[in-house]
C-alpha cells in the first residue's frame, strides 16, 4: 500500500476508486464501505484509494477554539489505522493535513483541486450523510451533480447496523470508555489493541519492582485506566501483562499520555521493538496517590488480579480440553 502525505505528485496520480473519511478505528461499518471500494476498483481496473485527515477535523477546530475537550478521543493511532486500511485491500492512502487553508475550500474547489486534478477520481463512495467543503456546505446531491459534470460516479452506503444500534466510531468510543471490550470487538470485528515502539521511560517502575514497557500515545485515547492485557510481538505467543493507560497523576504533572505495560516473568530488553497491546479487561480507573508506597501497593494489587485472571482462564481452557 502506498501512503502519501498530502496529494500525490503528478507522476503518482493514477485514476482511482476513492472513499473519504476519518476512519477512526476502521470498524465493521468502515470495512463494508472499503470492501465496496475494493470491488469497484477491481471491476474498473484502477486503484482503490482512501483520503483521510490528520489531525481529525474536529480536533483542528477544537484547537482553534482553544477547547480541546471538544476534540474526539482517538480509537486508533495513525499506524494502526493505516494497517487496517492495508488489511482491507486499499492500494493508496492520502493522509491530508487538515489546515485552515484546506478547511476553507468551497465544495467546487474541493471537487476540482482535490478530487479531479489531485486524485483523478473515477468512482467515489461516501456515507449517506457525507458533507464536504467550507462550513460543510456540500452534500451528496451536490457531489453527484459534480460527478456528472466531471465524469466520476458517486455511490453512497447506507448506515451499517449492529442490531438496532448504528455502528460508528462514537459507539466504539463509548464501548471502550466503559471497558466493554466484547462490544468493542463486535463493532470493530477484531479485539481492541494499540501498537507502538517501546521507548525509554523514567525507569520508575523498575525502581518500584514492576518494570514496564512504555509506549507513547500521541493523542487522547478513547479509554484510560488499568487493564489486563496481552502483548504481541515479543515471541511466538502473546504474553500476559497488566497495563496502565493515562497521564500518571501520582508521578507526572505534564499531562502526557503514556501506555505502561508490566509483563509477568519477563526480563528481556525490548527498547525500539514494535509491539501490539491487546486489551482484555478493565480493572479500575486511573487514580492519584499520596505517595510512592501507596502507588506500589496499588500496582501489586493490580498485578495479582491480572495474574489470577490469566490463571483462571488457563484453568478453564485446560478443563475444556479434558472434556
Amino acid at each position: 500500500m502506498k501512503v502519501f502525505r498530502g496529494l500525490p505528485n503528478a507522476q503518482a496520480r493514477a485514476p482511482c476508486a476513492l472513499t473519504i473519511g476519518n476512519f477512526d478505528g476502521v470498524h465493521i461499518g468502515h470495512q463494508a464501505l472499503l470492501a465496496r471500494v475494493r470491488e469497484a476498483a477491481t471491476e474498473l481496473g484502477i486503484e482503490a484509494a482512501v483520503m483521510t485527515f490528520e489531525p481529525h477535523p474536529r480536533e483542528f477546530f477544537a484547537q482553534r477554539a482553544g477547547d480541546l475537550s471538544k476534540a474526539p478521543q482517538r480509537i486508533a493511532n495513525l499506524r494502526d489505522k493505516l494497517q487496517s486500511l492495508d488489511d482491507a485491500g486499499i492500494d493508496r492512502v492520502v493522509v491530508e493535513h487538515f489546515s485552515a487553508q484546506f478547511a476553507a475550500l468551497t465544495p467546487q474547489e474541493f471537487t476540482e483541486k482535490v478530487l479531479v486534478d489531485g486524485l483523478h477520481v473515477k468512482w467515489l463512495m461516501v456515507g449517506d450523510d457525507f458533507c464536504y467543503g467550507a462550513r460543510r456546505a456540500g452534500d451528496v446531491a451536490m457531489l453527484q451533480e459534480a460527478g456528472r459534470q466531471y465524469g466520476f460516479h458517486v455511490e453512497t452506503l447506507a448506515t451499517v447496523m449492529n442490531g438496532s444500534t448504528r455502528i460508528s466510531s462514537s459507539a466504539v468510543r463509548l464501548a471502550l470508555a466503559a471497558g466493554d471490550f466484547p462490544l468493542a470487538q463486535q463493532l470493530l470485528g477484531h479485539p481492541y489493541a494499540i501498537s507502538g515502539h517501546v521507548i525509554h521511560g523514567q525507569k520508575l517502575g523498575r525502581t518500584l519492582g514492576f518494570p514496564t514497557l512504555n509506549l507513547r500515545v500521541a493523542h487522547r485515547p478513547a479509554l484510560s485506566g488499568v487493564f489486563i492485557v496481552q502483548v504481541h510481538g515479543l515471541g511466538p505467543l502473546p504474553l500476559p501483562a497488566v497495563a496502565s493507560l493515562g497521564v500518571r497523576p501520582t508521578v507526572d504533572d505534564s499531562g502526557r499520555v503514556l501506555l505502561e505495560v508490566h509483563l509477568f516473568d519477563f526480563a528481556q530488553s525490548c527498547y525500539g521493538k514494535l509491539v501490539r497491546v491487546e486489551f482484555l479487561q478493565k480493572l479500575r480507573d486511573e487514580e492519584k496517590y499520596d505517595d510512592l508506597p501507596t502507588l506500589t501497593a496499588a500496582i501489586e494489587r493490580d498485578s495479582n488480579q491480572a495474574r489470577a485472571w490469566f490463571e483462571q482462564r488457563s484453568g478453564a481452557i485446560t478443563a475444556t480440553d479434558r472434556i
Side-chain angles (χ1 to χ4, degrees):
M1 185 177 75
K2 294 170 287 189
V3 179
F4 298 91
R5 288 283 190 165
L7 296 176
N9 58 35
Q11 290 75 20
R13 292 177 189 172
C16 68
L18 177 74
T19 187
I20 304 168
N22 294 301
F23 294 99
D24 189 17
V26 191
H27 53 64
I28 59 175
H30 291 144
Q31 292 164 32
L33 186 153
L34 294 168
R36 177 63 187 120
V37 173
R38 176 66 271 168
E39 179 183 42
T42 300
E43 290 172 354
L44 296 171
I46 56 181
E47 291 189 340
V50 166
M51 169 176 270
T52 189
F53 305 101
E54 192 63 43
H56 191 295
R58 282 168 53 199
E59 184 178 324
F60 168 79
F61 288 116
Q63 288 175 334
R64 292 193 73 181
D67 186 3
L68 287 177
S69 66
K70 293 182 179 179
Q73 296 171 318
R74 297 284 188 102
I75 299 168
N77 58 36
L78 182 58
R79 177 191 298 104
D80 290 340
K81 180 198 293 191
L82 292 176
Q83 182 61 59
S84 294
L85 295 175
D86 192 15
D87 292 343
I90 297 303
D91 300 306
R92 184 202 314 174
V93 177
V94 174
V95 182
E96 181 63 39
H97 177 62
F98 196 88
S99 62
Q101 181 179 5
F102 188 88
L105 292 174
T106 66
Q108 181 70 18
E109 289 171 333
F110 179 83
T111 299
E112 293 178 352
K113 294 181 179 180
V114 177
L115 298 182
V116 178
D117 296 336
L119 294 173
H120 291 187
V121 172
K122 299 301 179 186
W123 187 97
L124 179 62
M125 165 72 81
V126 294
D128 52 11
D129 58 351
F130 181 75
C131 294
Y132 66 105
R135 301 184 182 277
R136 297 169 59 85
D139 57 17
V140 172
M142 289 179 64
L143 195 58
Q144 290 171 332
E145 177 57 35
R148 288 188 284 271
Q149 180 180 352
Y150 290 98
F152 60 84
H153 174 71
V154 179
E155 263 191 37
T156 60
L157 181 73
T159 297
V160 179
M161 305 294 289
N162 177 40
S164 60
T165 303
R166 178 177 181 269
I167 296 176
S168 65
S169 295
S170 295
V172 178
R173 292 186 190 105
L174 288 172
L176 293 175
D180 191 343
F181 295 114
L183 176 57
Q185 179 170 345
Q186 189 177 359
L187 297 174
L188 291 169
H190 56 78
Y192 180 69
I194 296 175
S195 76
H197 288 94
V198 179
I199 63 172
H200 288 275
Q202 296 177 345
K203 310 295 193 293
L204 179 61
R206 184 180 306 173
T207 302
L208 300 178
F210 297 94
T212 60
L213 307 182
N214 299 311
L215 278 67
R216 183 177 292 112
V217 180
H219 303 279
R220 283 199 313 151
L223 70 172
S224 66
V226 178
F227 305 89
I228 300 170
V229 302
Q230 58 185 6
V231 178
H232 302 258
L234 296 177
L237 297 174
L239 302 176
V242 64
S244 172
L245 175 58
V247 296
R248 307 188 304 157
T250 304
V251 298
D252 189 354
D253 60 3
S254 69
R256 184 183 67 157
V257 180
L258 197 67
L259 175 55
E260 298 177 291
V261 184
H262 172 57
L263 288 162
F264 301 139
D265 308 316
F266 185 87
Q268 297 177 25
S269 175
C270 303
Y271 294 119
K273 290 189 176 181
L274 179 62
V275 299
R276 180 165 55 89
V277 181
E278 179 186 339
F279 290 75
L280 303 173
Q281 183 168 308
K282 184 171 183 176
L283 292 176
R284 61 178 176 86
D285 291 331
E286 188 175 41
E287 296 182 46
K288 183 174 182 178
Y289 297 100
D290 293 332
D291 51 43
L292 290 182
T294 308
L295 171 63
T296 303
I299 296 173
E300 185 170 10
R301 287 194 299 271
D302 298 334
S303 297
N304 290 339
Q305 277 188 268
R307 284 181 182 273
W309 188 89
F310 282 108
E311 289 171 3
Q312 183 179 25
R313 186 169 180 246
S314 176
I317 293 173
T318 302
T320 302
D321 289 343
R322 291 198 188 107
I323 298 173

